Amino acid sequence: MGWQSLWIKRWMPRSGVQYAILLGVVLMFSAGAWMFYRQALTKQAPVVTTAQFLARHWAQPLAPQGDPPPGFSPVEASLAPESCGACHPAQYADWRTSLHSRAIGPGILWQFRVLSQKDSNHCLNCHAPLAEQKALTALQHNWANAPKGAVPSYVSGDLHLQGLVCAACHVRRHQRFGPPPNARNDVQAAHLPHNGFVVEQAFQDSRFCSTCHQFPPQGKSLAGKLVENTYEEWRSSPAAGNNQSCQACHMPGRRHLWRGIHDPAMVAKGIRRELDVKWVDRSHLSVQATISAPGVGHYFPTYVVPKVTVSLHLQNAKGDLEIARHVIGRTVSVDMDQEYSDTRIPPGGKAVVTAEIPLPPGSSNIVLHIQVAPAEHYVRMYQSMLDRNPDMDAVTQTMLRKALLEALSATYQLDELAVAVPGKFGESRHVVAN
C-alpha cells in the first residue's frame, strides 16, 4: 500500500465531526491547487506602486529586449503584432483599425528626413518607442549610431513602420505584462506561451496613458498652458471623480480600439447638441445652438490639432444660407510658437452659437451642421511647409503631399440637427441630440 493509500485510510471518516474535518481539508487543498493553477497562468508582479512601475516601464529610452529566453519559439520571441495576433486575434484585429497602428505614417516619416536623430527619437518615444524600432529607423536613415550587424530574428524588418505595436506596451526584455485576467477568459491550456505574463494593475490606470498623452510640467507650453494636457484635464473632470478611467471610454470591454476625435460615432456619443428657435418679435427669429460634452472626460477637443466647426443654416425653397459659425478648438501657429485662440469646451462647459434673422417667407428649417476636422492643424502645417520650401527634395515632398491628403480626408460631418421655423407668433421649437 502506497503512502497515498495510507493517508486516505487513516482519515476515512468514522463520525460526522471527522467527515467535516476531512471535507475542510479537501476544500483547503482544492483552493490551494486552484491558486497554484492561477499563479501558473499569470505571474504576480513584485509589490510596487503604480507610479514606480510606470517609471520603470516607460523609462526612456526603452531598453532592448535582448536574447529571448531558452526554449522560446520564433512566434513567442517575435515582437511583430501579427505574431501576437496568432493567439490574440481579437486584440490584433482591433489594433489594426486603431490610430496606434498608424502612429508611423507619411505625416511623421517626412519629418525624419529633415529632423536630427535626437529630435526624431523624441517623436519615436511615443510613435514607435521600442529600442528595436528606433534601431531600424536609424538603419533606414543611416544615422550615426545605427547598430552594426544583423537584425535579430525576433525583429521583423518592418517593425519600425508599424507604429505603437503590442510589444511597446506589453513586452519588456521578453517578459509579457498585462492587466489582471477576466475570470471568464482564464486560459485553460496546460502549457502557456512566452512563460505566461506578469499581472500589473497599472494597465487599468489612467496614468498608463499619460505617458504619451500628458506633457511634463516643463514641457512645451503656449499662453501658459501645456500643449498636451489631457491627463490633467481628465483629473479635474467629473469622469475622474466617478473613477471612470481613460481605458473605460477608449478601451471599452478591454477592446484595443482607442477611438477618439477621428471617429464620428465616438464624437456623437460624447457631445450633446441642442437647437432652439423662437420669435423675437413679429418679424424676427432668434436661433441658438448649444454644444456641450457630457460624455467627454477632458476638454473637447483636447489637443491643438483638431477643429470642430459649428454652423447654423436657414434652408428653404430659395436654398441654403449660413447664418452663424463658430469654431471649437485650440488654434496655434503652424510653427507652434503662438496661440491664436482657445475655444475648447471644458468638462462641464458649453459653447453657444446664436443668430437673429428676419422671418423668412414660406416654410423654412433651421439646420445645425457640425464639421469635425481631426487634423486641421496638420493641414495648415503641411501646406505651409510645401509653400515655404519649393526646393524640397522629391522624396520628402511626395511624403508631405501624401500626409496632406490624408489629413484632409480625415474631415467628416456629423448628422444634421434640424427644426422647422415656428409658423405662429409666440411659438418656439427645441430639439436635442445626445
Side-chain angles (χ1 to χ4, degrees):
M1 183 179 294
W3 288 98
Q4 185 180 17
S5 299
L6 283 171
W7 186 88
I8 294 174
K9 182 176 180 180
R10 181 180 180 185
W11 283 96
M12 286 294 288
R14 297 188 181 89
S15 67
V17 172
Q18 283 185 331
Y19 184 83
I21 294 173
L22 177 60
L23 180 61
V25 171
V26 170
L27 290 174
M28 290 175 61
F29 179 81
S30 299
W34 173 245
M35 291 177 63
F36 178 81
Y37 172 71
R38 287 297 299 275
Q39 288 176 351
L41 292 175
T42 61
K43 300 178 182 181
Q44 299 301 315
V47 179
V48 296
T49 66
T50 293
Q52 289 171 331
F53 170 81
L54 291 175
R56 180 183 69 220
H57 196 72
W58 289 113
Q60 294 291 347
L62 300 186
Q65 303 293 333
D67 294 331
F72 265 36
S73 70
V75 173
E76 288 174 294
S78 173
L79 302 178
E82 54 268 28
S83 296
C84 302
C87 292
H88 304 281
Q91 290 86 346
Y92 175 63
D94 281 349
W95 171 84
R96 288 189 65 188
T97 70
S98 74
L99 286 181
H100 282 180
S101 72
R102 302 194 296 277
I104 293 292
I108 194 168
L109 290 174
W110 75 266
Q111 297 183 56
F112 292 163
R113 297 178 60 83
V114 298
L115 293 176
S116 68
Q117 182 175 6
K118 179 181 178 180
D119 289 340
S120 297
N121 278 333
H122 182 73
C123 299
L124 288 170
N125 285 346
C126 286
H127 285 261
L130 291 176
E132 292 75 12
Q133 292 179 299
K134 292 180 177 179
L136 288 172
T137 303
L139 285 169
Q140 180 182 5
H141 294 279
N142 198 27
W143 286 337
N145 64 346
K148 310 299 181 184
V151 177
S153 60
Y154 59 83
V155 179
S156 57
D158 64 346
L159 187 68
H160 62 308
L161 301 176
Q162 298 202 57
L164 191 66
V165 295
C166 316
C169 290
H170 291 285
V171 184
R172 296 292 183 272
R173 296 190 181 277
H174 291 288
Q175 175 64 67
R176 271 61 177 177
F177 296 83
N182 288 326
R184 64 180 181 274
N185 291 330
D186 281 344
V187 179
Q188 298 298 319
H191 173 69
L192 296 174
H194 52 64
N195 294 332
F197 73 99
V198 176
V199 172
E200 181 49 64
Q201 296 287 344
F203 282 82
Q204 303 178 130
D205 194 298
S206 291
R207 285 173 288 180
F208 194 95
C209 308
S210 72
T211 302
C212 286
H213 294 280
Q214 177 64 49
F215 281 3
Q218 69 276 16
K220 175 71 174 179
S221 296
L222 291 174
K225 296 169 290 185
L226 290 170
V227 171
E228 178 82 48
N229 198 41
T230 305
Y231 173 73
E232 290 299 331
E233 291 170 6
W234 169 82
R235 282 220 309 159
S236 62
S237 75
N242 295 330
N243 293 319
Q244 189 174 16
S245 65
C246 304
Q247 294 88 331
C249 286
H250 297 284
M251 297 183 69
R254 294 192 176 182
R255 295 193 64 183
H256 287 52
L257 296 169
W258 301 290
R259 298 291 188 259
I261 193 72
H262 287 75
D263 185 65
M266 186 76 171
V267 172
K269 181 181 177 181
I271 66 173
R272 175 185 172 92
R273 292 165 285 167
E274 301 180 63
L275 185 57
D276 292 275
V277 180
K278 62 182 180 181
W279 291 71
V280 177
D281 53 41
R282 292 185 179 275
S283 60
H284 290 81
L285 291 174
S286 171
V287 180
Q288 176 173 295
T290 304
I291 313 297
S292 56
V296 179
H298 44 69
Y299 275 62
F300 174 75
T302 180
Y303 195 40
V304 298
V305 175
K307 300 295 179 295
V308 179
T309 302
V310 180
S311 58
L312 291 169
H313 296 251
L314 172 67
Q315 294 181 350
N316 54 28
K318 293 184 177 181
D320 185 302
L321 175 66
E322 183 179 297
I323 58 176
R325 173 180 287 255
H326 174 69
V327 175
I328 302 171
R330 187 178 179 187
T331 305
V332 302
S333 62
V334 293
D335 295 323
M336 296 192 74
D337 57 1
Q338 184 179 354
E339 178 182 284
Y340 299 140
S341 64
D342 187 353
T343 56
R344 295 173 298 162
I345 302 175
K350 61 185 178 182
V352 179
V353 186
T354 60
E356 185 174 312
I357 61 172
L359 179 65
S363 60
S364 303
N365 289 330
I366 300 297
V367 182
L368 170 63
H369 287 182
I370 293 186
Q371 181 189 74
V372 182
E376 185 274 342
H377 175 81
Y378 292 147
V379 169
R380 287 187 291 117
M381 184 181 77
Y382 299 158
Q383 188 61 63
S384 175
M385 289 298 297
L386 288 167
D387 293 342
R388 290 187 291 174
N389 299 278
D391 297 327
M392 183 183 295
D393 71 89
V395 174
T396 305
Q397 190 172 114
T398 298
M399 287 183 175
L400 191 50
R401 291 190 184 280
K402 185 176 180 180
L404 176 59
L405 289 176
E406 288 187 0
L408 285 167
S409 66
T411 300
Y412 61 87
Q413 299 271 355
L414 294 183
D415 292 340
E416 295 179 350
L417 186 63
V419 60
V421 171
K424 296 181 179 180
F425 178 72
E427 287 184 341
S428 62
R429 300 283 171 84
H430 174 79
V431 291
V432 180
N434 57 0

